[in-house]
Structure formats: C-alpha cells, structure tokens
Amino acid sequence: MAEQVRPEQQQEPPGLTGPMVPQPDHGEDSYRGSGRLERKRAFITGGDSGIGRAVAIAFAREGADVAIGYLPEEQVDADETARWVREAGRTCVLVPADLTHEEQARAAVRTAVDGLGGLDVLVNNAGYQMARRETFEDVETDEMDRVMRTNLYALVWVTQEALQHLGEGSAIVNCSSIQAYQPSQSLVDYASTKAAINNMTVNLAAELGERGIRVNAVAPGPIWTPLQPATQLPEKVASFGQDTPLGRAGEPAEVAHAFVFLASAVTGSYVSGTVLGVTGGKPVF
Ligand code: NAD
Ligand code: MG
C-alpha cells in the first residue's frame, strides 16, 4: 500500500473523522466476513471511529450484533459506524457515555447488554493520549488523570460489569499499543497505561481461564485515526508512521483482522493471555 500524502492538520480531542485528510480506511470497501462471529454479541468501546469503527464493521460482517460506546460529542461518527453495521444486516446499539465516570461506565455496559440481549465479546478499545508536550515537567495532572481514567480505570469498570454477562466461550480483547514496548517521550503517561493493559491482560487471562473466557490484547503501531490530529503536534502528523520498517502509518482496516482473530472462537479458541502486534514492523517484545 503506497503512503498517501498527509498534510499538517490539527483538531481538538476527541477528534472527528470528517475533517481528516486523507480519510482513513475502515474496511468499508474491502472487509469480507466468513462467519467467524456468527450470532455473537459484542460491545466495542470507542466504536465510533478509527480502530473501533473498523472492528465494528468487521465484526458485523462476521455475523455479530454490535454495541458501540463513544462520547456524546462524537454522535456523527457513531451514526456513520451504525450505518455500516446495519448495512451488514446486523443490530447496532448506540451507547453515548463518558467512561471516565464510574457510574456512566457501568451503566454503558448495562445499556449495551440490554440492547444486545446478552454479551459474548468485549472490546476495550476506548483510549486517550496527549502528545503536545516537550518535557516530563509538561505533564499536567488533569491530562494525566484523563489518560489514566480513560485507559485504565474505565477498562476495569467496564470489564467488571461485563463479567456479569460473559460466560464459557466468551472473549475480551483489549487495545494496547506499540507504546507499551517503545515509549515515546511525549507519551510517558499514555505509554505506562498501555504497559499496564498488557499486564492486566495476562492477569485476567489467568483468572478467567477456568470460566472459559479468553483475554487478549492487540498492540497497534501508528494508525491513522482521529486520535492523531487531535493529540499530536501538526508536524508530527505529517510524518506519522514513517519511522516504521514498512515506512508508513497503518489504516484502521489493517488492525481489525487481529481483533477478529482473537475474538473469534473459530480462530482464537486456544489463544489467551497474549498481545498481538500490528505495528508495521516495530517489535512487540
Ligand atoms: P479514535 O479517536 O478513533 O478512538 C478512540 C475512541 O475512544 C474515541 O472515538 C472515543 O469514542 C473513545 N473515548 C475516548 N475517551 C473516552 C471517554 N472518556 N469515554 C468514552 N469513550 C472515550 O482513535 P484510535 O486510534 O482508533 O483509538 C482506539 C484505541 O487504539 C485506543 O485505545 C488507542 O490508545 C489505541 N491505539 C491507537 C494507535 C494509533 O496510532 N491510532 C496506536 C496504538 C494504540
Ligand atoms: Mg471517535
């Protein structure tokens, strides 16, 4: 895949898909399902845009009904994801909520489960970072708090609530990052949450194995999503991903396959406690 021209650009968090140049590829024209998630019910946090939207489209085409979590200000992106899920003939439950608040996070899971009539797959994909800073002293408490609450606390709350519904054959897929292995200076707090997510993935897999629940994570490299123009310096956006062995940023569609592989009992039945890198060649060990 040739690298597309990416002009300098900036948005404010959480960022939207519409203003992005070029538009990301979520697999709208390319993803073909083969029944790997037939009749499954999946809740995908951050399913409105980026990697989460690509996962929602892939899951729906694999036969799953889907609920997507997102922030209220992302409604336009959530509606677009829902359109693709419904075009695949599947249900899409919309769950606007700010997951940094415990009550909202727990209620979001209940709304998803009510709408889907149960739960088989949880994708903890919502995430936040802030990279517009130069030194460690630039890390502000409010920003760090948002990073920790979005990436770690919400994952705990959502997973605890989901465990009341997940049973034998269910799967949890967390979203880690290359940052867990090669932390960038500007992302010191974010990177630490992703390392913690790897650790939690292993812990949870060990605990939930006896209940027949598999727990894994995907570690994406640089992927072209709204998170990037919303949180990186504009000049970093222009060169985004060029430092990978494959020499380019990845598209959300290229990450979705890994989530399907791990979520599906067809392909992932003996895979638990692992982190699968989709990094354009950067090492995840
Ligand atoms: P994205 O902005 O499209 O998706 C992140 C989503 O998180 C948002 O759409 C939003 O709905 C959700 N979110 C953020 N804060 C929230 C809150 N308080 N309450 C509810 N939802 C909230 O960007 P993305 O890159 O697709 O991010 C998805 C995941 O991928 C994140 O966990 C991110 O850390 C991870 N990741 C991204 C990259 C990359 O280069 N894009 C690389 C490695 C890992
Ligand atoms: Mg979004």
Side-chain angles (χ1 to χ4, degrees), residues 35-229:
R36 284 181 288 179
L37 291 167
E38 208 70 68
R39 290 183 303 280
K40 299 296 184 194
R41 297 154 299 184
F43 180 36
I44 304 164
T45 65
D48 60 304
S49 60
I51 294 166
R53 179 186 290 177
V55 172
I57 291 172
F59 276 22
R61 292 184 186 176
E62 294 289 353
D65 288 330
V66 166
I68 58 169
Y70 57 94
L71 287 164
E73 56 264 44
E74 299 176 300
Q75 187 65 46
V76 56
D77 270 352
D79 287 340
E80 176 68 2
T81 300
R83 193 173 70 75
W84 286 107
V85 169
R86 289 167 186 152
E87 198 159 287
R90 310 310 311 182
T91 297
C92 189
V93 180
L94 295 174
V95 189
D98 184 344
L99 300 180
T100 62
H101 298 288
E102 180 169 1
E103 270 320 303
Q104 288 193 49
R106 293 189 186 279
V109 179
R110 292 194 291 271
T111 304
V113 172
D114 286 350
L116 294 169
L119 193 67
D120 306 290
V121 176
L122 170 64
V123 177
N124 284 310
N125 165 73
Y128 179 68
Q129 65 177 29
M130 179 41 69
R132 291 184 199 136
R133 39 164 88 131
E134 306 219 314
T135 68
F136 190 69
E137 287 94 329
D138 293 336
V139 177
E140 291 171 15
T141 301
D142 283 355
E143 276 298 343
M144 184 173 67
D145 198 43
R146 181 168 173 180
V147 169
M148 300 282 169
R149 293 178 82 83
T150 309
N151 300 2
L152 284 183
Y153 285 50
L155 185 147
V156 171
W157 296 325
V158 167
T159 303
Q160 282 179 341
E161 204 68 30
L163 280 173
Q164 297 179 32
H165 307 278
L166 298 174
E168 176 83 31
S170 293
I172 298 171
V173 189
N174 297 325
C175 194
S176 177
S177 169
I178 184 63
Q179 289 292 323
Y181 306 87
Q182 298 189 338
S184 303
Q185 190 184 319
S186 60
L187 289 171
V188 57
D189 47 351
Y190 172 85
S192 76
T193 66
K194 294 301 182 178
I197 288 172
N198 283 356
N199 223 309
M200 259 190 225
T201 299
V202 174
N203 256 10
L204 269 174
E207 180 173 334
L208 299 178
E210 65 182 23
R211 288 162 64 175
I213 302 171
R214 298 178 301 101
V215 187
N216 292 288
V218 175
I223 309 298
W224 184 230
T225 70
L227 187 66
Q228 300 307 333

